[in-house]
Amino acid sequence: MPRIRLLMCPEKRRSLMLGCHGNNASTSIRVLSSLRPNMLPVGRSKISKRMVQNLAENICKQVAHFNKGEVECLIREFHVLLEEPTNPARPIRGLDRWKFRGFLHHTFGLTDDTIMDGVFRTFDKDNDSFVSVYEWIEGLSVVLRGTLDEKIKYCFHVYDLNADKYISREEMLQMLRYSLRLPGEEDPYDGIKDLVEITLKRMDRDHDDRLSLDDFAMSVKEVNHVLEAFGTCIPNATRIETFEQRVFQTGPLDGALVLSPVFSAASVGSIATRWQCD
Ligand code: CA
Ligand code: CA
């Protein structure tokens, strides 16, 4: 196993980290991704720089939309986030649900707990309850720069709360009850039930009373603004630009980490209004 091989001998460990032990890129990524953060130095020493560069090179081969330099910046940003205070009793294997949700809230302005949990589940592809450095960069490539097809799959997975490959009536109700509720307003359950029925009727192309990925994709391609029909899960253009400028242009190790202080209220808007705009 990777962790055991790393402990075998320092020279072999170093060569494996630097990608000199065979040419299997995915093995190198798994090995490096499995390292605990305190095993992967992020300082300016020659060895740590080479390790980050090597990891970036391997990730770059498998993740679209980022060049090697950008992947290096994202690796460093990942480790800056990991170094924030955490529970010392828990082993660190990546960003846990709470750190990841904190990032989504402070940096991307997401506020809906159900949606943020869905984003975490979508990023955490191996379902080990941690977002590894590879999962972090792979997820960001879609969220920040993905194609429409990539974003359709991403949003669908976020909204498929129980991961059964369908968005059910109950899941729509659960997501819209929060996202359409205004501060101080009573639970708009009855109004949202009607809205769910209208939405299901419009998007359920094969009439099986639930949304498959195909149903969702066809609807989004016809009416683009329903991509985030059940809650905001992609940051707006300003948030994306701010994040990219901070991470890619200055680099997280060139200065103190500055998290956006902006806490915007949920701005999902009314699905009913969206339908009326068709
Ligand atoms: Ca994971
Ligand atoms: Ca489902």
Side-chain angles (χ1 to χ4, degrees), residues 203-263:
M203 298 179 79
D204 177 20
R205 304 307 176 96
D206 58 4
H207 308 294
D208 65 349
D209 239 19
R210 57 188 182 176
L211 299 186
S212 64
L213 177 59
D214 284 344
D215 291 331
F216 187 72
M218 280 190 276
S219 299
V220 172
K221 285 178 178 176
E222 275 185 19
V223 189
N224 188 266
H225 59 250
V226 299
L227 175 65
E228 296 179 85
F230 305 114
T232 300
C233 54
I234 296 174
N236 63 36
T238 305
R239 295 269 187 182
I240 290 175
E241 189 180 348
T242 303
F243 176 77
E244 292 202 356
Q245 279 182 353
R246 178 173 64 77
V247 174
F248 296 152
Q249 292 184 12
T250 60
L253 293 181
D254 292 337
L257 176 64
V258 180
L259 292 176
S260 170
V262 179
F263 294 83

Side-chain angles (χ1 to χ4, degrees), residues 156 159-169 171 210-211:
F156 182 85
Y159 300 147
D160 176 14
L161 302 180
N162 64 356
D164 69 346
K165 302 190 188 305
Y166 294 96
I167 301 172
S168 67
R169 179 183 273 103
E171 286 168 329
R210 57 188 182 176
L211 299 186

Side-chain angles (χ1 to χ4, degrees), residues 39-206:
M39 296 170 68
L40 181 61
V42 293
R44 292 296 191 190
S45 68
K46 193 176 176 182
I47 178 73
S48 68
K49 190 173 179 183
R50 284 193 64 188
M51 287 167 62
V52 170
Q53 285 175 338
N54 188 63
L55 177 57
E57 194 171 328
N58 287 327
I59 291 178
C60 203
K61 290 174 187 167
Q62 301 196 20
V63 173
H65 310 308
F66 295 129
N67 63 36
K68 182 168 169 271
E70 290 168 337
V71 171
E72 282 181 31
C73 291
L74 289 170
I75 292 169
R76 294 180 189 281
E77 176 72 4
F78 178 84
H79 284 278
V80 169
L81 288 174
L82 278 177
E83 285 174 356
E84 290 177 348
T86 189
N87 181 354
R90 293 183 61 184
I92 299 171
R93 293 157 62 190
L95 295 172
D96 63 21
R97 182 182 302 273
W98 301 108
K99 273 191 177 168
F100 188 75
R101 279 177 48 160
F103 164 76
L104 292 176
H105 179 65
H106 293 300
T107 305
F108 287 166
L110 304 192
T111 56
D112 183 329
D113 290 341
T114 302
I115 297 295
M116 286 194 283
D117 280 345
V119 175
F120 178 81
R121 175 173 36 74
T122 304
F123 269 65
D124 178 20
K125 284 198 170 171
D126 65 2
N127 198 29
D128 71 345
S129 299
F130 291 91
V131 172
S132 68
V133 66
Y134 179 79
E135 290 169 337
W136 152 263
I137 293 169
E138 189 181 34
L140 286 179
S141 80
V142 174
V143 168
L144 300 180
R145 299 181 179 179
T147 63
L148 179 60
D149 282 331
E150 288 170 339
K151 286 180 178 171
I152 286 171
K153 283 181 186 168
Y154 162 82
C155 290
F156 182 85
H157 286 133
V158 171
Y159 300 147
D160 176 14
L161 302 180
N162 64 356
D164 69 346
K165 302 190 188 305
Y166 294 96
I167 301 172
S168 67
R169 179 183 273 103
E170 292 71 26
E171 286 168 329
M172 289 183 206
L173 199 57
Q174 184 179 340
M175 291 182 281
L176 292 178
R177 270 177 95 171
Y178 178 88
S179 66
L180 297 184
R181 189 174 186 172
L182 297 173
E185 199 180 60
E186 287 187 12
D187 188 353
Y189 181 78
D190 289 336
I192 285 177
K193 264 182 76 176
D194 293 341
L195 180 59
V196 165
E197 294 306 321
I198 294 169
T199 303
L200 193 56
K201 192 175 174 185
R202 293 291 295 268
M203 298 179 79
D204 177 20
R205 304 307 176 96
D206 58 4

